[in-house]
Amino acid sequence: MHTVSGGEVAGILVAVFWAILVSFLAVALARLAQTLKATTKLVADVTDQAVPLLADASSAVRSAQTQIDRVDAIASDVQEVTSNASALSTTVASTFGGPLVKVAAFGYGVRRALGGRKQEDVPVKSPRRTVIVGRTVPAARRKRK
């Protein structure tokens, strides 16, 4: 019979632990490989879906930029029309405003003069007096004519 020495027992134990460690590492590497494959597939799927989305987003941004350019052109045209209208109203006010005010004032003066003249030509009616039999009118009222 052969006796096993302490060094041989230690070698066997190291070999068993080494085999268990290698087995655990092999399982971990296999799972890591599966995870990497799944990740690669996920990234590929995301890329396949993201590329059309990015193309659509890019076209939407271009369209929005075109619309913004149009709105900017319209706003500048509106600003130009506003400034032209302001200049026109200032011109009309300065050209016709003064003479129109003078004509209106002259017309008002003529109407007032003619209206006052007509009132002077028409005799003023004296107010009707009511006579009540048997009553005397106070002196203050009798003097008024």
Side-chain angles (χ1 to χ4, degrees):
M1 192 146 178
H2 184 257
T3 64
V4 181
S5 68
E8 290 175 343
V9 171
I12 290 175
L13 286 176
V14 168
V16 169
F17 284 125
W18 185 256
I20 292 173
L21 179 64
V22 169
S23 299
F24 281 135
L25 287 177
V27 170
L29 286 175
R31 288 189 180 170
L32 181 62
Q34 289 176 351
T35 304
L36 287 175
K37 284 180 187 178
T39 304
T40 303
K41 183 178 182 236
L42 180 66
V43 168
D45 291 344
V46 168
T47 303
D48 290 343
Q49 293 176 2
V51 170
L53 288 176
L54 289 174
D56 290 345
S58 177
S59 67
V61 168
R62 280 192 212 105
S63 174
Q65 183 62 38
T66 303
Q67 296 301 326
I68 287 172
D69 291 341
R70 288 180 185 170
V71 168
D72 188 35
I74 290 170
S76 65
D77 290 344
V78 167
Q79 184 178 7
E80 184 178 341
V81 167
T82 303
S83 64
N84 289 342
S86 175
L88 180 64
S89 68
T90 303
T91 303
V92 167
S94 65
T95 303
F96 297 112
L100 283 177
V101 169
K102 290 178 184 176
V103 167
F106 178 74
Y108 177 73
V110 168
R111 277 185 299 178
R112 182 136 173 140
L114 293 178
R117 188 139 181 141
K118 285 182 183 176
Q119 289 176 357
E120 290 173 6
D121 292 343
V122 176
V124 178
K125 285 185 170 181
S126 60
R128 262 181 109 183
R129 296 186 183 212
T130 307
V131 176
I132 301 175
V133 179
R135 281 194 88 168
T136 28
V137 179
R141 291 180 80 194
R142 270 188 262 147
K143 291 181 182 179
R144 203 189 303 166
K145 287 190 179 181

